[in-house]
Every structure is written in structure tokens, then in C-alpha cells.
Amino acid sequence: MSATANSRSFVVTNRSVLAIAVPMTLAYLTTPLLGIVDTAVVGQLGDAALLGGLAAGALVFDVVFTSFNFLRSGTTGLVAQAVGRGDELEEQAVFWRAVLIAVVAGIVLAALAPLVAIAGQWFMSAEPRVSEAMAIYIRIRLLAAPFSLINYAILGYVLGRGEGGLGLMLQLVLNGINIALCILLGLELGWGVAGVAWATVTGEFVAMLLGLAIIGRRFWAAPRLPRHRILDLSAFLRMMSLNRDIMIRSFSLLAAFALFTRQGAQFGTVTLAANAVLMNVFLIAGYFLDGFATAAEQLAGRAVGARAAMQFRQAVRLTLLWGFGLAATATLVLLLGGTDLVALITTSQDVRAIADIYLSWAAFTALSGVLAFQMDGVFIGATWSRDMRNMMLLSFLVFSAALLILAPAFGNHGLWAALHVFLLVRGFSLLTILRVRMRTAF
């Protein structure tokens, strides 16, 4: 009874939001930094085919691993709810279930590496030297699949407990080792693309060992978990159902971005390149907002677990207020300094000129997308994955329709307008469902 009473008595404040959001924003920002270092290292070798192979390999890898991101977000929601109920044994059980799924899926992915490489080469249909570099990168990097997926489970558990500082430390170790070895192996020892890939494998492995050591030590001091609790069929099925819905949502999101890129290609190579540069602007804003979405996951999940309606409303309200404040700041910064950022990303005068025309569209994605990011966090934490999946599919259909109508009529302006429609429909559809859900959940 005392555990439940304690779990219900937690208070959602600005401090509790920032304690998760600030370290995780910093953690998420190390990911694009790693991508920049990878590209810079291979770029120093002065071979365009190697750079193309790295970019194509990273794209294939991102598609494969985005599909498994549910291991992070699904684990966060279930652990947060167990924390809210004061159920220590279920926190452990959720973690080990996620690790079991990660190990099985990771071994399968590592075994399929040659086939994934062949499929990637077929899909990209690039020149032979680009295809060769891509295959090397994929075959080596997929060896880290079991480690990477276990790291998703570790981060999901840590964030489910609201330990943003520990999450930041683990990400800094992972990406720090990766960056250091990338420079050493790729550049100093001249291993090129293979060096970049081996750096990732090593970083993931060391981060996994550290994460398992920290969590294992914690569990050793906690009450013993019966093995049958981990293998509870109904709990496993619930986790798989949640993971399936998040996976469908992730695929729909990837499909929307793929459609956006494909349509941009119809307007010519320079416009395609300009859109790619501006999408980086959108993604940078997204990384900043993801920290507050993560805070929404933990706090909303904990409130659902504790059956605490007031704390749930406060979590939604505060993460939205902070999210909108940060989105407005990001939009202002991008409007004022976006031209310099574009110049930093590309040296091509033609691409810069086109990107500057559409810069304001990209800058405002932070504001039109913030509600979607925050609502995603709330629904993941509350494990209302079916609603999230359905609203994403609805948003994708609306986006496709907007694309068909606006792009032919207004060209690239219409394409960016359709992206804003997609983001707004995602956010407001989930907000509408939220009001219904809150009446039944508490």
C-alpha cells in the first residue's frame, strides 16, 4: 500500500520536466554531430564514391533501425507506468522482455547483413564503386545490431524511470567512443568507410556493457525477480502489440518523408538538393523538441500507472508550454540565422539560392510540428499506441492528398505546404483523441 501511496504522491513541476528534457536534448544532439563527423572523415579521403557509399549505407541502416525504435519508446512507456504503480518487479520484467526481443531481432539482423547489403544496392542502383562502399559499410555495421537494439532497451528503461542524466551519460559514451574511433580508424589508419563502420560497432558494444553493468548492479540490490514473471505470455503479447503499432507509425512517417523527397526530385536536382539541406534544418529543430517529448513520455506514463489524473494533465500542459516556447525560439533563430546555416551545410551557390527562397517554410516546421511531437510523447507514455498508429495513418492519407493537390498547383511551395498540413493533422488529431481518452483512462 505504501508503494502505491508514494507513487501517487509525485508532483509534476517545471523542474521535473527540465530534469528529463535538458539532458536528453543534449543527448539527441550528439547523433547529428556523429553523422557530421562520419561524413567529414570520409570526405577527407577525397573520393566522392566513398562519400556516396557512406550516405547510401547510412540511409539503408536508418530505415532498418527506425523500424526497431519501438524497443526504446515502448520500453519507456511500460517502465514509466510500472514506476507510477510502484511495481519494482514489473520494471525489471519489462526491461528483460525488451532485452530478449532485442537479442533475437539483433542476431537475425546481423545474420541477414549480406542480404540487406544486396537489397540496398538494388534499391539505390548507384554506380559500382558507390555500391561497393555501401555494401562494406552495411555488412560491418549490422554486426552491431544486437548491441544497438539492447542499447535501445537500456535507454528505454532509463528514461522510463526519468533518469535523463544517466541517459545523457550513456549516449555521450556511445557517441564519444564512436567519434574518437571514427577519426582514428577512418582517417589516421586509413580504413575509410570500414573504419567508420567498425567505430560504430565498438561504440555500441562498450555502451551496452556499461548500461548492462549499471542496471545489473541495481537489480542485484533489488528484490529478486521470478523467471516466470519475465516470460508472462499476456505481458509479452501486450508489449508486442504496443511495439507493432509504434513500428507501423514509424513506417508511415518514413513513407511520408520518402514521398516528400521523391516529389522534390520531380522539380529538378537543384531543388532536390535544396530541400535536402532544408530538411536538415527541420531535423535539427526536431532534435531540440524530442527532449520535451521524452519528458512527456515518462511523466504521462508514470501518471497513468499511478492513476493520477491531475499529474497527467499537468504533464501534458507543462511539456506543451515548454515545447511551444522552444519551437517559437527555434523558428525565430532559423528565420534570422538560417541563411548562414544553409551556407554552412552546402557550398553550392545554386543550392543556397533555392534553399533561401524556401527557408521560411522549413523554419516554421518547428511550430507546426511541436504539437505532433508532444502528443506522440504523451501517447507513447500512456501506451495508447493504437490511437497513435491510426492518427498517423490518417495524417499520411491527408498528406498524400495535399501533395497531389498543392504540389502541381504551387510547385515546391506546395510541397512544403503539404508537409505543414501533415504535421498539423498529426498534432490536432491526437489532441482531439486525448480529450476522449482522458475521460476513460482515469
Side-chain angles (χ1 to χ4, degrees):
M1 176 66 190
S2 61
T4 308
N6 289 337
S7 70
R8 288 176 188 277
S9 65
F10 82 98
V11 180
V12 178
T13 61
N14 286 314
R15 188 173 179 178
S16 57
V17 169
L18 294 175
I20 301 168
V22 172
M24 287 321 298
T25 297
L26 295 173
Y28 292 139
L29 285 172
T30 61
T31 302
L33 175 65
L34 174 60
I36 291 166
V37 172
D38 284 356
T39 305
V41 164
V42 175
Q44 293 299 309
L45 302 173
D47 189 335
L50 293 181
L51 204 54
L54 173 70
L59 177 65
V60 171
F61 188 84
D62 286 346
V63 169
V64 171
F65 272 73
T66 298
S67 313
F68 287 92
N69 194 42
F70 60 74
L71 276 170
R72 204 286 296 160
S73 46
T75 304
T76 298
L78 293 170
V79 169
Q81 289 184 21
V83 170
R85 291 192 302 272
D87 189 345
E88 282 186 52
L89 288 179
E90 186 59 18
E91 287 178 46
Q92 292 185 46
V94 168
F95 173 72
W96 290 121
R97 284 179 210 127
V99 167
L100 276 174
I101 295 169
V103 169
V104 173
I107 290 170
V108 170
L109 276 176
L112 291 176
L115 288 177
V116 173
I118 290 165
Q121 287 175 312
W122 169 81
F123 180 73
M124 289 295 178
S125 62
E127 62 173 89
R129 290 191 61 243
V130 171
S131 289
E132 183 189 345
M134 177 175 69
I136 290 168
Y137 181 78
I138 291 172
R139 283 170 190 244
I140 296 171
R141 194 170 169 185
L142 270 181
L143 293 175
F147 318 140
S148 301
L149 296 185
I150 290 170
N151 282 330
Y152 281 2
I154 290 168
L155 187 59
Y157 166 82
V158 165
L159 294 180
R161 289 182 50 82
E163 297 170 340
L166 179 54
L168 170 61
M169 187 269 280
L170 290 171
Q171 291 301 106
L172 286 177
V173 167
L174 194 159
N175 289 329
I177 289 172
N178 202 332
I179 287 169
L181 285 179
C182 183
I183 294 166
L184 174 66
L185 301 177
L187 208 53
E188 298 296 323
L189 298 182
W191 291 12
V193 171
V196 171
W198 279 117
T200 303
V201 173
T202 310
E204 294 281 0
F205 181 66
V206 173
M208 179 196 72
L209 290 181
L210 178 63
L212 288 175
I214 291 168
I215 293 171
R217 188 178 174 192
R218 181 180 293 177
F219 288 171
W220 189 259
R224 283 284 170 270
L225 176 71
R227 191 171 297 174
H228 70 83
R229 180 89 181 252
I230 300 173
L231 302 173
D232 180 279
L233 185 60
S234 64
F236 245 119
L237 289 174
R238 186 189 176 208
M239 182 177 251
M240 293 306 290
S241 170
L242 172 66
N243 291 345
R244 180 201 63 216
D245 292 337
I246 296 173
M247 194 175 188
I248 292 168
R249 166 210 169 261
S250 299
F251 269 129
S252 303
L253 192 58
L254 279 173
F257 289 145
L259 263 183
F260 179 90
T261 305
R262 185 181 177 279
Q263 185 59 52
Q266 311 305 307
F267 300 134
T269 305
V270 177
T271 302
L272 174 66
N275 282 349
V277 169
L278 292 175
M279 279 304 277
N280 280 311
V281 172
F282 166 56
L283 292 172
I284 288 167
Y287 279 115
F288 275 106
L289 295 170
D290 270 347
F292 287 96
T294 303
E297 285 178 36
Q298 200 277 335
L299 295 168
R302 189 173 171 187
V304 167
R307 293 275 181 265
M310 186 178 76
Q311 285 89 330
F312 183 86
R313 288 192 181 89
Q314 187 74 338
V316 173
R317 192 176 72 83
L318 285 181
T319 55
L320 269 178
L321 280 174
W322 278 103
F324 271 107
L326 190 64
T329 306
T331 295
L332 191 62
V333 168
L334 291 170
L335 286 172
L336 295 174
T339 305
D340 295 329
L341 184 60
V342 167
L344 196 67
I345 296 171
T346 178
T347 53
S348 167
Q349 293 298 331
D350 290 344
V351 174
R352 283 182 186 178
I354 297 293
D356 289 346
I357 294 170
Y358 301 105
L359 178 63
S360 55
W361 283 110
F364 277 101
T365 53
L367 270 175
S368 63
V370 62
L371 185 60
F373 290 136
Q374 294 310 108
M375 286 295 107
D376 267 0
V378 170
F379 275 71
I380 285 170
T383 60
W384 298 332
S385 58
R386 189 179 298 173
D387 294 325
M388 192 171 67
R389 177 200 69 195
N390 292 345
M391 292 307 102
M392 176 61 88
L393 291 171
L394 170 69
S395 303
F396 180 74
L397 288 174
V398 173
F399 170 67
S400 302
L403 205 63
L404 288 171
I405 296 164
L406 297 174
F410 302 103
N412 205 43
H413 286 291
L415 178 60
W416 278 97
L419 181 65
H420 281 275
V421 168
F422 175 61
L423 293 170
L424 289 167
V425 172
R426 272 180 64 198
F428 281 103
S429 63
L430 286 172
L431 185 63
T432 305
I433 294 283
L434 179 68
R435 289 172 178 157
V436 178
R437 272 271 169 245
M438 281 177 66
R439 284 199 288 270
T440 57
F442 300 102

PDB file of all heavy atoms in Angstrom, residues 370-398:
ATOM      1  N   VAL A 370       5.408  20.943 -33.349  1.00  0.00           N
ATOM      2  CA  VAL A 370       5.614  20.739 -31.899  1.00  0.00           C
ATOM      3  C   VAL A 370       4.464  19.975 -31.247  1.00  0.00           C
ATOM      4  O   VAL A 370       4.694  19.095 -30.400  1.00  0.00           O
ATOM      5  CB  VAL A 370       5.869  22.092 -31.184  1.00  0.00           C
ATOM      6  CG1 VAL A 370       4.689  23.034 -31.302  1.00  0.00           C
ATOM      7  CG2 VAL A 370       6.202  21.855 -29.713  1.00  0.00           C
ATOM      8  N   LEU A 371       3.238  20.236 -31.649  1.00  0.00           N
ATOM      9  CA  LEU A 371       2.092  19.532 -31.056  1.00  0.00           C
ATOM     10  C   LEU A 371       2.154  18.037 -31.379  1.00  0.00           C
ATOM     11  O   LEU A 371       1.891  17.192 -30.521  1.00  0.00           O
ATOM     12  CB  LEU A 371       0.775  20.136 -31.554  1.00  0.00           C
ATOM     13  CG  LEU A 371      -0.509  19.575 -30.921  1.00  0.00           C
ATOM     14  CD1 LEU A 371      -0.522  19.802 -29.412  1.00  0.00           C
ATOM     15  CD2 LEU A 371      -1.752  20.222 -31.555  1.00  0.00           C
ATOM     16  N   ALA A 372       2.554  17.719 -32.616  1.00  0.00           N
ATOM     17  CA  ALA A 372       2.686  16.308 -33.028  1.00  0.00           C
ATOM     18  C   ALA A 372       3.753  15.599 -32.188  1.00  0.00           C
ATOM     19  O   ALA A 372       3.547  14.480 -31.707  1.00  0.00           O
ATOM     20  CB  ALA A 372       3.040  16.218 -34.512  1.00  0.00           C
ATOM     21  N   PHE A 373       4.917  16.257 -31.993  1.00  0.00           N
ATOM     22  CA  PHE A 373       5.994  15.656 -31.191  1.00  0.00           C
ATOM     23  C   PHE A 373       5.525  15.401 -29.758  1.00  0.00           C
ATOM     24  O   PHE A 373       5.746  14.326 -29.189  1.00  0.00           O
ATOM     25  CB  PHE A 373       7.224  16.573 -31.152  1.00  0.00           C
ATOM     26  CG  PHE A 373       7.953  16.684 -32.467  1.00  0.00           C
ATOM     27  CD1 PHE A 373       8.382  17.916 -32.943  1.00  0.00           C
ATOM     28  CD2 PHE A 373       8.223  15.566 -33.227  1.00  0.00           C
ATOM     29  CE1 PHE A 373       9.050  18.032 -34.149  1.00  0.00           C
ATOM     30  CE2 PHE A 373       8.900  15.657 -34.439  1.00  0.00           C
ATOM     31  CZ  PHE A 373       9.316  16.899 -34.900  1.00  0.00           C
ATOM     32  N   GLN A 374       4.900  16.431 -29.154  1.00  0.00           N
ATOM     33  CA  GLN A 374       4.490  16.319 -27.757  1.00  0.00           C
ATOM     34  C   GLN A 374       3.391  15.275 -27.573  1.00  0.00           C
ATOM     35  O   GLN A 374       3.408  14.495 -26.625  1.00  0.00           O
ATOM     36  CB  GLN A 374       4.018  17.673 -27.222  1.00  0.00           C
ATOM     37  CG  GLN A 374       5.114  18.720 -27.132  1.00  0.00           C
ATOM     38  CD  GLN A 374       6.353  18.220 -26.431  1.00  0.00           C
ATOM     39  OE1 GLN A 374       7.387  17.982 -27.051  1.00  0.00           O
ATOM     40  NE2 GLN A 374       6.262  18.027 -25.140  1.00  0.00           N
ATOM     41  N   MET A 375       2.415  15.268 -28.479  1.00  0.00           N
ATOM     42  CA  MET A 375       1.319  14.294 -28.376  1.00  0.00           C
ATOM     43  C   MET A 375       1.845  12.871 -28.560  1.00  0.00           C
ATOM     44  O   MET A 375       1.398  11.942 -27.900  1.00  0.00           O
ATOM     45  CB  MET A 375       0.239  14.603 -29.428  1.00  0.00           C
ATOM     46  CG  MET A 375      -0.611  15.820 -29.105  1.00  0.00           C
ATOM     47  SD  MET A 375      -1.626  15.588 -27.618  1.00  0.00           S
ATOM     48  CE  MET A 375      -0.765  16.640 -26.460  1.00  0.00           C
ATOM     49  N   ASP A 376       2.808  12.699 -29.464  1.00  0.00           N
ATOM     50  CA  ASP A 376       3.446  11.387 -29.621  1.00  0.00           C
ATOM     51  C   ASP A 376       4.022  10.927 -28.290  1.00  0.00           C
ATOM     52  O   ASP A 376       3.858   9.767 -27.881  1.00  0.00           O
ATOM     53  CB  ASP A 376       4.580  11.460 -30.657  1.00  0.00           C
ATOM     54  CG  ASP A 376       4.098  11.085 -32.052  1.00  0.00           C
ATOM     55  OD1 ASP A 376       2.904  10.780 -32.213  1.00  0.00           O
ATOM     56  OD2 ASP A 376       4.922  11.107 -32.988  1.00  0.00           O
ATOM     57  N   GLY A 377       4.729  11.841 -27.598  1.00  0.00           N
ATOM     58  CA  GLY A 377       5.320  11.506 -26.300  1.00  0.00           C
ATOM     59  C   GLY A 377       4.269  11.096 -25.283  1.00  0.00           C
ATOM     60  O   GLY A 377       4.417  10.096 -24.583  1.00  0.00           O
ATOM     61  N   VAL A 378       3.167  11.854 -25.211  1.00  0.00           N
ATOM     62  CA  VAL A 378       2.082  11.563 -24.265  1.00  0.00           C
ATOM     63  C   VAL A 378       1.474  10.187 -24.553  1.00  0.00           C
ATOM     64  O   VAL A 378       1.279   9.369 -23.657  1.00  0.00           O
ATOM     65  CB  VAL A 378       0.996  12.659 -24.315  1.00  0.00           C
ATOM     66  CG1 VAL A 378      -0.242  12.247 -23.519  1.00  0.00           C
ATOM     67  CG2 VAL A 378       1.551  13.985 -23.788  1.00  0.00           C
ATOM     68  N   PHE A 379       1.186   9.916 -25.831  1.00  0.00           N
ATOM     69  CA  PHE A 379       0.517   8.664 -26.205  1.00  0.00           C
ATOM     70  C   PHE A 379       1.439   7.457 -26.043  1.00  0.00           C
ATOM     71  O   PHE A 379       0.989   6.367 -25.701  1.00  0.00           O
ATOM     72  CB  PHE A 379      -0.022   8.753 -27.641  1.00  0.00           C
ATOM     73  CG  PHE A 379      -1.380   9.406 -27.731  1.00  0.00           C
ATOM     74  CD1 PHE A 379      -1.532  10.772 -27.508  1.00  0.00           C
ATOM     75  CD2 PHE A 379      -2.510   8.663 -28.013  1.00  0.00           C
ATOM     76  CE1 PHE A 379      -2.773  11.381 -27.573  1.00  0.00           C
ATOM     77  CE2 PHE A 379      -3.763   9.251 -28.075  1.00  0.00           C
ATOM     78  CZ  PHE A 379      -3.902  10.616 -27.855  1.00  0.00           C
ATOM     79  N   ILE A 380       2.757   7.642 -26.287  1.00  0.00           N
ATOM     80  CA  ILE A 380       3.712   6.548 -26.071  1.00  0.00           C
ATOM     81  C   ILE A 380       3.791   6.230 -24.579  1.00  0.00           C
ATOM     82  O   ILE A 380       3.752   5.072 -24.164  1.00  0.00           O
ATOM     83  CB  ILE A 380       5.102   6.910 -26.637  1.00  0.00           C
ATOM     84  CG1 ILE A 380       5.089   6.816 -28.163  1.00  0.00           C
ATOM     85  CG2 ILE A 380       6.186   5.981 -26.080  1.00  0.00           C
ATOM     86  CD1 ILE A 380       6.332   7.382 -28.833  1.00  0.00           C
ATOM     87  N   GLY A 381       3.891   7.279 -23.743  1.00  0.00           N
ATOM     88  CA  GLY A 381       3.961   7.079 -22.296  1.00  0.00           C
ATOM     89  C   GLY A 381       2.719   6.399 -21.748  1.00  0.00           C
ATOM     90  O   GLY A 381       2.805   5.516 -20.888  1.00  0.00           O
ATOM     91  N   ALA A 382       1.559   6.804 -22.268  1.00  0.00           N
ATOM     92  CA  ALA A 382       0.290   6.221 -21.808  1.00  0.00           C
ATOM     93  C   ALA A 382       0.027   4.856 -22.445  1.00  0.00           C
ATOM     94  O   ALA A 382      -0.945   4.179 -22.095  1.00  0.00           O
ATOM     95  CB  ALA A 382      -0.853   7.182 -22.132  1.00  0.00           C
ATOM     96  N   THR A 383       0.889   4.443 -23.388  1.00  0.00           N
ATOM     97  CA  THR A 383       0.768   3.214 -24.199  1.00  0.00           C
ATOM     98  C   THR A 383      -0.569   3.136 -24.936  1.00  0.00           C
ATOM     99  O   THR A 383      -1.147   2.065 -25.080  1.00  0.00           O
ATOM    100  CB  THR A 383       1.028   1.922 -23.367  1.00  0.00           C
ATOM    101  OG1 THR A 383       0.093   1.824 -22.292  1.00  0.00           O
ATOM    102  CG2 THR A 383       2.441   1.895 -22.809  1.00  0.00           C
ATOM    103  N   TRP A 384      -1.061   4.282 -25.414  1.00  0.00           N
ATOM    104  CA  TRP A 384      -2.250   4.317 -26.277  1.00  0.00           C
ATOM    105  C   TRP A 384      -1.774   4.245 -27.732  1.00  0.00           C
ATOM    106  O   TRP A 384      -1.983   5.154 -28.532  1.00  0.00           O
ATOM    107  CB  TRP A 384      -3.046   5.605 -26.035  1.00  0.00           C
ATOM    108  CG  TRP A 384      -3.569   5.735 -24.629  1.00  0.00           C
ATOM    109  CD1 TRP A 384      -3.893   4.722 -23.763  1.00  0.00           C
ATOM    110  CD2 TRP A 384      -3.823   6.953 -23.906  1.00  0.00           C
ATOM    111  NE1 TRP A 384      -4.336   5.218 -22.561  1.00  0.00           N
ATOM    112  CE2 TRP A 384      -4.302   6.591 -22.615  1.00  0.00           C
ATOM    113  CE3 TRP A 384      -3.693   8.307 -24.220  1.00  0.00           C
ATOM    114  CZ2 TRP A 384      -4.642   7.538 -21.654  1.00  0.00           C
ATOM    115  CZ3 TRP A 384      -4.032   9.243 -23.264  1.00  0.00           C
ATOM    116  CH2 TRP A 384      -4.504   8.865 -21.988  1.00  0.00           C
ATOM    117  N   SER A 385      -1.106   3.140 -28.034  1.00  0.00           N
ATOM    118  CA  SER A 385      -0.407   3.037 -29.320  1.00  0.00           C
ATOM    119  C   SER A 385      -1.361   2.891 -30.503  1.00  0.00           C
ATOM    120  O   SER A 385      -1.060   3.325 -31.609  1.00  0.00           O
ATOM    121  CB  SER A 385       0.563   1.848 -29.280  1.00  0.00           C
ATOM    122  OG  SER A 385      -0.132   0.646 -29.000  1.00  0.00           O
ATOM    123  N   ARG A 386      -2.523   2.268 -30.269  1.00  0.00           N
ATOM    124  CA  ARG A 386      -3.463   2.073 -31.376  1.00  0.00           C
ATOM    125  C   ARG A 386      -3.963   3.419 -31.915  1.00  0.00           C
ATOM    126  O   ARG A 386      -4.045   3.631 -33.119  1.00  0.00           O
ATOM    127  CB  ARG A 386      -4.649   1.220 -30.917  1.00  0.00           C
ATOM    128  CG  ARG A 386      -5.555   0.790 -32.055  1.00  0.00           C
ATOM    129  CD  ARG A 386      -6.699  -0.074 -31.562  1.00  0.00           C
ATOM    130  NE  ARG A 386      -6.204  -1.310 -30.964  1.00  0.00           N
ATOM    131  CZ  ARG A 386      -6.982  -2.175 -30.327  1.00  0.00           C
ATOM    132  NH1 ARG A 386      -8.271  -1.939 -30.176  1.00  0.00           N
ATOM    133  NH2 ARG A 386      -6.486  -3.285 -29.827  1.00  0.00           N
ATOM    134  N   ASP A 387      -4.290   4.323 -30.981  1.00  0.00           N
ATOM    135  CA  ASP A 387      -4.730   5.670 -31.389  1.00  0.00           C
ATOM    136  C   ASP A 387      -3.626   6.385 -32.155  1.00  0.00           C
ATOM    137  O   ASP A 387      -3.885   7.036 -33.171  1.00  0.00           O
ATOM    138  CB  ASP A 387      -5.099   6.510 -30.155  1.00  0.00           C
ATOM    139  CG  ASP A 387      -6.314   5.963 -29.431  1.00  0.00           C
ATOM    140  OD1 ASP A 387      -7.217   5.455 -30.112  1.00  0.00           O
ATOM    141  OD2 ASP A 387      -6.351   6.034 -28.190  1.00  0.00           O
ATOM    142  N   MET A 388      -2.403   6.266 -31.654  1.00  0.00           N
ATOM    143  CA  MET A 388      -1.265   6.934 -32.296  1.00  0.00           C
ATOM    144  C   MET A 388      -1.044   6.391 -33.708  1.00  0.00           C
ATOM    145  O   MET A 388      -0.829   7.155 -34.661  1.00  0.00           O
ATOM    146  CB  MET A 388      -0.014   6.718 -31.450  1.00  0.00           C
ATOM    147  CG  MET A 388       1.151   7.579 -31.843  1.00  0.00           C
ATOM    148  SD  MET A 388       2.495   7.442 -30.645  1.00  0.00           S
ATOM    149  CE  MET A 388       2.999   5.755 -30.911  1.00  0.00           C
ATOM    150  N   ARG A 389      -1.141   5.075 -33.836  1.00  0.00           N
ATOM    151  CA  ARG A 389      -1.000   4.435 -35.151  1.00  0.00           C
ATOM    152  C   ARG A 389      -2.095   4.901 -36.110  1.00  0.00           C
ATOM    153  O   ARG A 389      -1.815   5.290 -37.258  1.00  0.00           O
ATOM    154  CB  ARG A 389      -1.087   2.910 -34.980  1.00  0.00           C
ATOM    155  CG  ARG A 389      -1.027   2.107 -36.261  1.00  0.00           C
ATOM    156  CD  ARG A 389      -1.613   0.712 -36.041  1.00  0.00           C
ATOM    157  NE  ARG A 389      -3.054   0.742 -35.828  1.00  0.00           N
ATOM    158  CZ  ARG A 389      -3.758  -0.275 -35.326  1.00  0.00           C
ATOM    159  NH1 ARG A 389      -3.154  -1.396 -34.963  1.00  0.00           N
ATOM    160  NH2 ARG A 389      -5.063  -0.174 -35.192  1.00  0.00           N
ATOM    161  N   ASN A 390      -3.345   4.883 -35.642  1.00  0.00           N
ATOM    162  CA  ASN A 390      -4.473   5.250 -36.512  1.00  0.00           C
ATOM    163  C   ASN A 390      -4.415   6.706 -36.957  1.00  0.00           C
ATOM    164  O   ASN A 390      -4.701   7.033 -38.108  1.00  0.00           O
ATOM    165  CB  ASN A 390      -5.801   4.975 -35.797  1.00  0.00           C
ATOM    166  CG  ASN A 390      -6.049   3.487 -35.608  1.00  0.00           C
ATOM    167  OD1 ASN A 390      -5.388   2.661 -36.249  1.00  0.00           O
ATOM    168  ND2 ASN A 390      -6.971   3.130 -34.727  1.00  0.00           N
ATOM    169  N   MET A 391      -4.033   7.604 -36.025  1.00  0.00           N
ATOM    170  CA  MET A 391      -3.952   9.027 -36.375  1.00  0.00           C
ATOM    171  C   MET A 391      -2.785   9.297 -37.325  1.00  0.00           C
ATOM    172  O   MET A 391      -2.866  10.174 -38.168  1.00  0.00           O
ATOM    173  CB  MET A 391      -3.829   9.888 -35.113  1.00  0.00           C
ATOM    174  CG  MET A 391      -5.077   9.893 -34.234  1.00  0.00           C
ATOM    175  SD  MET A 391      -6.615  10.326 -35.129  1.00  0.00           S
ATOM    176  CE  MET A 391      -7.367   8.703 -35.356  1.00  0.00           C
ATOM    177  N   MET A 392      -1.708   8.513 -37.196  1.00  0.00           N
ATOM    178  CA  MET A 392      -0.588   8.653 -38.131  1.00  0.00           C
ATOM    179  C   MET A 392      -1.007   8.210 -39.536  1.00  0.00           C
ATOM    180  O   MET A 392      -0.679   8.866 -40.534  1.00  0.00           O
ATOM    181  CB  MET A 392       0.610   7.830 -37.654  1.00  0.00           C
ATOM    182  CG  MET A 392       1.795   7.848 -38.624  1.00  0.00           C
ATOM    183  SD  MET A 392       2.484   9.489 -38.901  1.00  0.00           S
ATOM    184  CE  MET A 392       3.663   9.568 -37.566  1.00  0.00           C
ATOM    185  N   LEU A 393      -1.756   7.105 -39.626  1.00  0.00           N
ATOM    186  CA  LEU A 393      -2.234   6.631 -40.930  1.00  0.00           C
ATOM    187  C   LEU A 393      -3.193   7.646 -41.551  1.00  0.00           C
ATOM    188  O   LEU A 393      -3.128   7.916 -42.765  1.00  0.00           O
ATOM    189  CB  LEU A 393      -2.906   5.260 -40.786  1.00  0.00           C
ATOM    190  CG  LEU A 393      -1.957   4.093 -40.444  1.00  0.00           C
ATOM    191  CD1 LEU A 393      -2.753   2.836 -40.108  1.00  0.00           C
ATOM    192  CD2 LEU A 393      -1.002   3.816 -41.598  1.00  0.00           C
ATOM    193  N   LEU A 394      -4.075   8.220 -40.732  1.00  0.00           N
ATOM    194  CA  LEU A 394      -4.980   9.270 -41.215  1.00  0.00           C
ATOM    195  C   LEU A 394      -4.181  10.470 -41.725  1.00  0.00           C
ATOM    196  O   LEU A 394      -4.464  11.004 -42.821  1.00  0.00           O
ATOM    197  CB  LEU A 394      -5.915   9.714 -40.080  1.00  0.00           C
ATOM    198  CG  LEU A 394      -6.770  10.961 -40.348  1.00  0.00           C
ATOM    199  CD1 LEU A 394      -7.830  10.671 -41.411  1.00  0.00           C
ATOM    200  CD2 LEU A 394      -7.431  11.472 -39.064  1.00  0.00           C
ATOM    201  N   SER A 395      -3.168  10.890 -40.954  1.00  0.00           N
ATOM    202  CA  SER A 395      -2.335  12.041 -41.333  1.00  0.00           C
ATOM    203  C   SER A 395      -1.601  11.775 -42.643  1.00  0.00           C
ATOM    204  O   SER A 395      -1.459  12.670 -43.478  1.00  0.00           O
ATOM    205  CB  SER A 395      -1.317  12.344 -40.226  1.00  0.00           C
ATOM    206  OG  SER A 395      -1.974  12.568 -39.010  1.00  0.00           O
ATOM    207  N   PHE A 396      -1.143  10.520 -42.819  1.00  0.00           N
ATOM    208  CA  PHE A 396      -0.438  10.157 -44.050  1.00  0.00           C
ATOM    209  C   PHE A 396      -1.362  10.269 -45.260  1.00  0.00           C
ATOM    210  O   PHE A 396      -0.962  10.760 -46.323  1.00  0.00           O
ATOM    211  CB  PHE A 396       0.133   8.739 -43.937  1.00  0.00           C
ATOM    212  CG  PHE A 396       0.869   8.287 -45.171  1.00  0.00           C
ATOM    213  CD1 PHE A 396       2.120   8.795 -45.474  1.00  0.00           C
ATOM    214  CD2 PHE A 396       0.291   7.374 -46.047  1.00  0.00           C
ATOM    215  CE1 PHE A 396       2.795   8.395 -46.626  1.00  0.00           C
ATOM    216  CE2 PHE A 396       0.952   6.968 -47.196  1.00  0.00           C
ATOM    217  CZ  PHE A 396       2.212   7.482 -47.484  1.00  0.00           C
ATOM    218  N   LEU A 397      -2.609   9.821 -45.087  1.00  0.00           N
ATOM    219  CA  LEU A 397      -3.586   9.930 -46.186  1.00  0.00           C
ATOM    220  C   LEU A 397      -3.882  11.387 -46.535  1.00  0.00           C
ATOM    221  O   LEU A 397      -3.935  11.762 -47.712  1.00  0.00           O
ATOM    222  CB  LEU A 397      -4.895   9.214 -45.801  1.00  0.00           C
ATOM    223  CG  LEU A 397      -4.837   7.684 -45.765  1.00  0.00           C
ATOM    224  CD1 LEU A 397      -6.145   7.116 -45.218  1.00  0.00           C
ATOM    225  CD2 LEU A 397      -4.555   7.118 -47.164  1.00  0.00           C
ATOM    226  N   VAL A 398      -4.047  12.221 -45.497  1.00  0.00           N
ATOM    227  CA  VAL A 398      -4.297  13.654 -45.725  1.00  0.00           C
ATOM    228  C   VAL A 398      -3.084  14.294 -46.402  1.00  0.00           C
ATOM    229  O   VAL A 398      -3.228  15.104 -47.326  1.00  0.00           O
ATOM    230  CB  VAL A 398      -4.625  14.370 -44.389  1.00  0.00           C
ATOM    231  CG1 VAL A 398      -4.720  15.880 -44.594  1.00  0.00           C
ATOM    232  CG2 VAL A 398      -5.930  13.847 -43.800  1.00  0.00           C
TER     233      VAL A 398
END
